[in-house]
Amino acid sequence: EELAVLGGLADRGIGVRAFHVLRNVQAPAVLVELGFITNASDLRYLSDPDYQIREARAIQQGIEAFFDHLGAMPASLESGGE
C-alpha cells in the first residue's frame, strides 16, 4: 500500500509465488518489485534518485506498518540490528 501511494507506478497487487529467494528462509521475507528495467517508462523512474528515495521510504513505512499491526517491533530492529 505504501509503495502504491508514494511510488507513482501502477499497483499490480500482491502475488503469492514460491520464488527461490522466499522459500525456506529463517525470517519473514518479502520480495518487492519496483518496476521493470525493460520498460522505458519504468526505467526512467528507476534511474531517478528522488524516485529511489521515495521508494525506500515507502518500503520503510510499509515495514513499520506491518510491525505496528503485529503490535511490536523485534528488538533486533529497534536497535538498528546491532
Side-chain angles (χ1 to χ4, degrees), residues 3-31:
L3 285 169
V5 171
L6 296 177
L9 296 178
D11 180 359
R12 295 172 45 100
I14 297 171
V16 178
R17 302 277 303 272
F19 289 110
H20 179 76
V21 295
L22 298 175
R23 290 191 315 248
N24 303 317
V25 294
Q26 300 299 313
V30 64
L31 179 63

Side-chain angles (χ1 to χ4, degrees), residues 2 13 16 20 36 47 51 57 65 75 79:
E2 301 295 335
V16 178
H20 179 76
F36 300 95
S47 300
Y51 175 80
R57 287 185 179 140
S79 63

Side-chain angles (χ1 to χ4, degrees), residues 14-78:
I14 297 171
V16 178
R17 302 277 303 272
F19 289 110
H20 179 76
V21 295
L22 298 175
R23 290 191 315 248
N24 303 317
V25 294
Q26 300 299 313
V30 64
L31 179 63
V32 179
E33 191 170 79
L34 300 175
F36 300 95
I37 60 173
T38 55
N39 178 300
S41 177
D42 287 2
L43 182 57
R44 278 193 297 279
Y45 276 105
L46 295 168
S47 300
D48 178 4
D50 291 332
Y51 175 80
Q52 295 169 12
I53 290 169
R54 281 197 316 271
E55 293 297 278
R57 287 185 179 140
I59 292 168
Q60 175 190 3
Q61 291 170 1
I63 292 168
E64 289 171 352
F66 172 78
F67 285 114
D68 285 347
H69 177 74
L70 288 181
M73 178 78 74
S76 62
L77 294 179
E78 284 286 345

